Amino acid sequence: MAVELDVFVGNTIIMSEEVYQLWLDGYTVNDAVKVRMEGGVLDEFDAKADVVLSDTMDQYRTFQMCERLLHSPTKLANQLLFQIPPHRQATLIERYYAFDDVFVREVLGKKLSKGTKKDLDDISAKTGVMLKSCRRQFDNFKRVFKVVEELKGPLVENIRQHFLLSDKLARDYAAIVFFANNRFETGKRKLQYLTFQDLAFCAGQLINNWTVGAVDNMVEDMDVDLDKEFLQELKELKVLITDKDLLDQHKSLVCTALRGKTKAFNEMEANFKNLSRGLVNIATKLTNTKDVRDFFIDLVEKFIEPCRSDHWTAADMKLYLTHYTNSAHILDTFKHQVVWDRYMGVIKSCIFKMYHD
Amino acid sequence: MPGKLKAKIVAGRHLPVMDRASDLTDAFVEVKFGNTTFKTDVYPKSLNPQWNSEWFKFEVDDEDLQDEPLQITVLDHDTYSANDAIGKVYIDIDPLLYSEAASVISGWFPIYDTIHGIRGEINVLVKVELFNDLNRFRQSSCGVKFFCTTSIPKGYRAAIVHGFVEELVVNEDPEYQWIDRIRTPRASNEARQRLIFLMSGELQRKIGLKVLEMGGNAVVGYLQCFDLEGESGLVVRAIGTACTLEKLSSGSGTHTHPNTAPASNACNSPSKDGKEPVFGEDLPSSSGPSTPFRALPTSSSSPPPFSPSKPCSRQSSSSDTDLSLTPKTGMGSGSMGKDAGPLKTLLRQQTQTALEQREFPFFTLTSFPSGFLLHVGGVVSARSVKLLDRIHNPALGNTRSYKLLDWNSVTADEPETRDAWWEEIRQEIKSHAKALGCHAVVGYSESTSICEEVCILSASGTAAILNPRYMREGCLDLGGSDQRWFEDPSPSSCGFCHIPYDELNMPFPAQLTYCFHCRRQKVPDVLFTTIDLPSDAAIAGKGCFIQARLCRLKKKGQGEANATAISNQLPFMEYELHTQLMNKLKLRSMNALFGLSIQISVGENMLLGLASATGVYLTALPAPGGIQIAGKTPGDLNTEQHILNIQKRINDTIAKNKEFYEVNPPKLFALDPEVFCGTNVDLTEEVVGSPIPEPRLRSRLFRSHSESSDELSELDLSHGKKDAFVLEVDDTDAVEDIQSLLTDASPPKGFYSCNTETMPGIYNWTSALQMFTSVRVLRLSNANLSNQALNKVFTDLCENLLKSFYFKLRSMIPCCLSHLVFSVAVPEEDLIQVAVTAVAMTFDKDQTQDKPAEKPITKGCSEAEDQLQFSLELCTDSSSINSQSSSKNSAAKLNQNQLIVVRSAGVPESSHLSTRAASVDYGSFADRCSTWLELLRLKAHTIRRGSVKTSRRTQSLAHSVSSLEHSSPLTDGRSRSLRSSRSFGGSSVSVVKMTPLSFLPGTRIVKYVGIINMFFIRETTSLREEGGVSGFLHSFVAEVFAMVRAHVAALGGNAVVSYSMKDCVLMENPNKNQCQCLINVSGDAVIYIRETDQEVTGSTANIRLSCTSSADGAT
């Protein structure tokens, strides 16, 4: 007795979030049934495998039919095929565009091209995320990237409007787009300890402060490109390390402020010139695209690693960077206060975020 | 030139890419009505074209308006080759033809292609201007309203119920025309779809004419069916109940206009002279054969001659009868109480005269105003097996050349044959009813099952005695004294159970007792009916879905032999189904079945029987006895033990069921001498403490067969002398019965199910609602199955379907599956197809007990008033209950988030928080708010569009919503820059609820905007790519829902009630990677408002309205 055909269609879409998640995670129908049966929630219903199978099939079919619409979420609201209550629409979209941090960490900063797509099975093996799910996530990144690429206005807002995502998710996508666009290097061993959330936070900082949109309060140019003018201005900061007087003055100001406030004072004093050179050099080199890509590596190599080897605590770091930034204002020959603040504001928060094990 | 049809093509969206090179489409639209076609300009290179066309005007006869659909074809312009069709939309103009319904059709329609499914949407505006035409010889019947609902529609009252109307139209099926061999599947499907549209339009018009002749203005319980007879043609037939409906004033029912004349229509006024028989002349109409009018009830005193069988048509009429094995005895003229006697006799005479004038005193209604239904006899049914054969159609002859002829000209004779067949069956039903002492048949329906050339015609209904007041002309003018005259002495809570005929003159043995309610009249011990439980019936506990399933093998055969074999099987099948039903009823300790429908489907090598009903415990009837198991060989110890075991299991099940369904009948009648005589030995009975009839009587089954069924009277229906409820385990049949009894799982906790409109015993519905359609096809892998194994397979199939529903809908608990309609078919050898449509409705558990206390009060006043206003009473009755329950619970039902949203959306100031609020939390309110606002805005649009002539309330509602819309320009402005680049922002789709019931819990239907009757064909030649048969059908069913919703929304409605899927014919050929499916759906489009909003003004009302949509998503 073979069931030749079995469908169940409701006037209002019928879905369980559990099954939707299984589908998104790339489970086959049979595996999904297994997971559901093992889940045990069904025990009270005395559901036999065939009942669960039939239910799972129906939902998988529904999701497959919805998938086309989910590719342009705004269509989901005015399509006629499925009657989906608004809150369900939101869930469908939000979950569809949700991604695994482990997976995104792997593709962050990579070109969203066919080449990368071919590597997905490796990534799948490495991260334990099913290939099907990897593909969906990758395609989502690509789709968002493509749509937003040509749009004006604030990036996060664009993503939110076009894909009807929550604020949080839109920000994450903005970060992914930003990374993909600037091709930041994130795959190096030294950067492996950073999570996606660390990097997304940093991307947010960069978007908000270093892009054209940051100064010119949205409109016209894109949020994905760094403000060229600003990068050019950063070269002026070089004076902080080339002018010996200024460097010494800066050091003494910082040391005075720090003295007695931290156990790592000696190391700070000893390393001041090195660290300062590191940070300022990063700033001055950002006009080169290549160096922009290495931004995070440079931060780690030039600053975070030396500090870590000296066993600075997070509080030490905060203290040091605060005084380091503020002291520059007191330097009377230093004229680039605005650029300095714009630069150090981002650097400071990025380093805070990135300074962990 | 009595009508001007105007159409405007506004825009399209989400069109498919037709030009691979540019990934775009150059779309234009052809608008066709009758033989006139208009075209829009080509809108180049866009998937979202904005045609914004002029108004295309068609000047047409109103006859054509009724018959023809407006046909809109979207095409892709191609400079060098032929233009490619994208898809079509058929729009039924009918709803625009009566003044009270929709005034404009406007909205987004899915563009449908029979090969590709839905391909984008098109926005269309349609209007009709009708000129008055008082020509008495006209062929049109504009203005007659059609309702699928099988009760008097809400908001109307029935001034007169005229009675049965029927009609059928026959045509050649385009699928079988010679041209089909050379045209594309698409062209063939489209020809078929269009033909069926035309035919159902014509059918409706013809029925409308009959109604006008009877002096009515509406058809209620309209049931239209298709018979796909293959080579021999396509039959579209319909039955219904003609009524004169009067609209109750749109208020909540406190104020009515008793003087409202039968609603006058735009193009006609059914005045008295409409009654004059108008004989149709064969006008040179292009639309199909016109049937000469048959003798009309009003004009003929004798039934039309029963046409003898055509020489060639093989009449293996199995006429298996009267299924109503219910006992019925009459309140015969002398056997009643003193007061009742003469009155009754008079009443009977009056009624009879009123009814006997009618050819067929049949009513397709299943629920009635209180006072209408006096007594119920039992189920009457008739079946007949026919051979479909076109030879007896003289116009065609035996050559195949006819295929070259236009079908209009050749089939003129066909309807007569089919008419004769049905007439035969109806006559039989009528005589069965008479045998039960009844003069009318209610809950009447007809169906067919076709396999190759064999066709089983079935009809069934419930024999009943009706109150004549509703059927006479001018009953409104009758004084109060007259009404008193006819007042039935028996209380309405039990009156309908009283036997309608002579106790001393029963045609079959029946077990009668005095009514346990009023103790004045006799009642049977079991009652089977095809109608809904009368709203005022006294019951104990809850109702329960009961199903009997049967599968019988049959030898493959040809022609007459095959037909004979089938007709010989039928009585046995009916008998077995009945035994199963009876046993299952007893097992649930209930004593009555409502909504009984027995379907027998024929396949090449098997017959399927499926009987569904809702069991209930009527307190007026005696408590059912248990089931006793007996062995044939008492000596054997093993068997003895086995029997004891089974007996124990059965007793346990009965006890369990009693608890589950809360069957605790009151003990009022404990002293009844008639009943309280037996020595009580039954354990389970003692538990509940209800008296049981003496053992001998207890287990008696009434098997009735009416005197008119000659063939059957020879058949001993009662297992010889044995009591039916003593099941002998040696008997293989009995083993099977027991098995099937005990394998039926009761629904899981929190679930109830029924196949009637309302679930007996549940009154406090909450608003969550999920209508669904499920189809399952089983392939029998082993060709050599025994009957028993086959039975098991079929039973499991049905049981598993139910289990599956419970599982899928578990999030709605506590919940009831209402109006479960199963339809079975044998699409090809070794395949069994079951299609189910039902609605899951949530109810509030805690209030279950409130109803009995509250009900008598409402009833009390309704009885005091004029019963003619029953529909009003029904309205207020249910509304008061609903409003109470929903006001108490709506808050609890909505989850917190939704409540917050409602509040913030209700206050315009807070609305602009929506789009840009910097909300940090994940699924924030803000998002939801903006979606809600969009929904509201769209709602406002829809309502404004639809409410050109609607009631004051709807308008004010629209007003305040639009003001809400104005209050948020900021929201719009903010995102304008973004919007522009988006494909189609802003609008979302309004929610359309669908239900097979005639009502929506917690709401009030304010307007019926038109009947929905749609037929779709879908075909694929890439079955695997579409996900196999399941994938194919899944998307097709979803598409059908979408198209129904779109049409309803375009009519300005927000729900479909009395929805049903009449046909679902699936033909697959997996080897060729092909599949074809036909679906026919119908229902009534309505506008409803939330019950709780009656007094509340606009904005909140509308917000709630949209709020319910969220409750919809309960799963």
Side-chain angles (χ1 to χ4, degrees), chain A residues 1-2 4-9 11-12 55 58 61 65 74 77-78 80-81 83 88 157-158 160, chain B residues 13-14 770-771 773-777 779 781 808 915-916 978 982 992 994 1034 1042 1045 1068 1115:
Chain A
M1 304 310 112
E4 182 99 353
L5 175 157
D6 180 19
V7 296
F8 179 96
V9 191
N11 179 38
T12 307
D55 180 50
D58 279 322
R61 274 197 302 267
M65 283 187 254
T74 43
N78 57 28
L80 302 176
L81 185 57
Q83 185 153 280
R88 280 256 180 246
E157 194 58 25
N158 279 347
R160 226 176 56 180
Chain B
R13 67 182 183 195
H14 308 157
Q770 174 69 270
M771 194 279 299
T773 287
S774 181
V775 183
R776 218 172 254 200
V777 175
R779 183 175 289 282
S781 47
K808 280 174 212 275
T915 17
R916 194 114 171 138
L978 296 161
R982 269 205 269 168
V992 175
M994 287 166 81
H1034 194 133
R1045 287 194 302 259
E1068 51 164 332
T1115 28

Side-chain angles (χ1 to χ4, degrees), chain B residues 20-50:
Chain B
R20 283 282 149 221
S22 64
D23 267 3
L24 289 168
T25 296
D26 304 319
F28 71 100
V29 182
E30 275 181 14
V31 187
K32 188 177 174 195
F33 190 83
N35 295 319
T36 318
T37 307
F38 292 101
K39 280 182 192 173
T40 67
D41 298 332
V42 175
Y43 193 91
K45 304 212 181 313
S46 171
L47 298 183
N48 300 297
Q50 307 288 317

Side-chain angles (χ1 to χ4, degrees), chain A residues 7 97 130 191 200 240 259 346:
Chain A
V7 296
Y97 282 90
M130 283 193 210
L191 295 179
L240 278 176
R259 195 182 306 272
V346 171

